Amino acid sequence: MLSIQNISKTYGDRKVLDDVSFSVEPGKLTGFVGGNGAGKTTTMRTILGVVKPDAGVVTIDGRPVVVTDRARFGYMPEERGLYPKMKVKEQVTYFAELHGLSAKEAAKNADRFLEDLGLTERAGDNVEDLSLGNQQRAQIAASLAHEPEMLILDEPFSGLDPLAVEVVLETLQGFAARGVPVLFSSHQLDVVERLSDNLVIISGGAIRASGDRHELQERHSEGMHRISVAGDAGWLRDEPGITVLEFDRGDAIFVADSGETAQRILRTALDRGPVFGFGRHIVKLSDIYREVVA
């Protein structure tokens, strides 16, 4: 278990991290979400020891992280750190050797991860000759080639098309399946919602929400229902015990003050005519994000 405990950091008179605490569980993909300047990158650099916090500690299984632990991390920065005129396989092999693998092991791992990420045919090309999406894949391969025991990835899905996202996800899930804690940041809320097991939302240097993604969505969806009826559903606005959140002709999303009220709405709708759909409404991550950072 990787734990970030009460981390604070100030630059001049600006507090960029304010008592930040969350955990990255083994075998889970943890999505780290926040706008520009929210504190995501500073948090990741603190985990890696690049930034020294003013207060707080980063621990692994209850003990403080030390330099030798960080050698076991796989890190992908948001800014690409590859050498443009170096061949792709040589690049990935080089980074694996920097983490202590023998030349033979490093080359073997480079071949494996380039294949996993769909870059085998480009292994002999210079990095600068790759598309931006393939450069991103190469950067990911370089962060994985030493088979890290923890993964910290800053915007790994940036610039990837949907097919490439699936390829990268499958590779990361392979690490998670072996018990590796995976922390990744992203501005793409739809991608985070689909891919993450756990979720951390940061804004203004402070954690606004964290935990199991499904539980967070359930919690923020309490009392919400959706209904689709024949004709106009405008009558819902006059029903006691509910608040209509969205309305479009026969489709509506509303909050009921109790389960009994929701069932009453269903019975009323059936008395008025055909009901095409009725059930719980689960909010999207984008809705939770807007709610907690407002």
Side-chain angles (χ1 to χ4, degrees), residues 52-67:
K52 183 178 180 180
D54 300 325
V57 65
V58 180
T59 66
I60 298 176
D61 298 330
R63 59 176 180 78
V65 175
V66 296
V67 173

Side-chain angles (χ1 to χ4, degrees), residues 63-84:
R63 59 176 180 78
V65 175
V66 296
V67 173
T68 52
D69 293 318
R70 292 187 173 105
R72 298 152 49 202
F73 286 18
Y75 174 56
M76 195 201 86
E78 183 177 6
E79 308 84 8
R80 291 187 177 90
L82 302 179
Y83 299 102

Side-chain angles (χ1 to χ4, degrees), residues 15-43:
K15 197 161 195 174
V16 294
L17 296 179
D18 185 6
D19 200 31
V20 167
S21 295
F22 64 91
S23 296
V24 186
E25 298 179 41
K28 298 289 183 69
L29 295 174
T30 298
F32 195 24
V33 176
N36 291 329
K40 300 189 305 297
T41 298
T42 302
T43 300

